[in-house]
Amino acid sequence: MPREFSRSRRVGEQMQRLLGEILLRDVKDPRASGVTVTSVEVSRDLSHATVWFSLLDPAADPAPAATALAGAAGLIRGKLGRAMYIRQVPALHFRHDESLERGSRLSDLINRAVASDRDRPGNDD
């Protein structure tokens, strides 16, 4: 069983590298511009792949980008199939990765709390 897991992980890593190139070169929908693939999780049987993406503008609504990516899934799968040499390309499911935005918000909260403590009267640090 561990062999299957490592194969699905290797396929996911290769898909992630290729997806970045395909999105830049082949997907012409403007709603998909500014999309970065953050990770790809491939099922153990290699039939499905969840593609996690983020946007260059963290304040932008990810729904139009997700719609554009879902609409281009057939084109993307075809390009992946020609580049990867695997029998069957997994079905692609696009999901917005909110971890970068959450990390940024958390970092901002921490910075504000530290600044607030520093500015508090009676703090002799």
Side-chain angles (χ1 to χ4, degrees), residues 7 11 29 33 39-40 74 79 91 98 100 111 114:
R7 175 160 167 79
V11 168
D29 192 324
S33 65
S39 69
V40 178
K79 298 282 184 182
E98 297 177 352
L100 297 174
N111 290 339
V114 168

Side-chain angles (χ1 to χ4, degrees), residues 63-78:
T67 302
L69 293 170
L75 168 83
I76 295 169
R77 282 185 76 201

Side-chain angles (χ1 to χ4, degrees), residues 20-71:
E21 296 171 15
I22 291 168
L23 290 176
L24 279 174
R25 187 181 58 229
D26 301 311
V27 177
K28 303 300 183 200
D29 192 324
R31 297 173 297 173
S33 65
V35 168
T36 303
V37 176
T38 56
S39 69
V40 178
E41 297 172 3
V42 180
S43 64
R44 291 175 67 139
D45 65 358
L46 306 179
S47 64
H48 295 274
T50 301
V51 179
W52 295 94
F53 71 92
S54 66
L55 301 172
L56 292 178
D57 178 8
D61 180 15
T67 302
L69 293 170

Side-chain angles (χ1 to χ4, degrees), residues 82-95:
R82 286 187 284 285
M84 290 186 65
Y85 305 111
I86 58 176
R87 188 173 300 141
Q88 181 177 349
V89 177
L92 303 175
H93 308 281
F94 294 95
R95 303 283 184 262

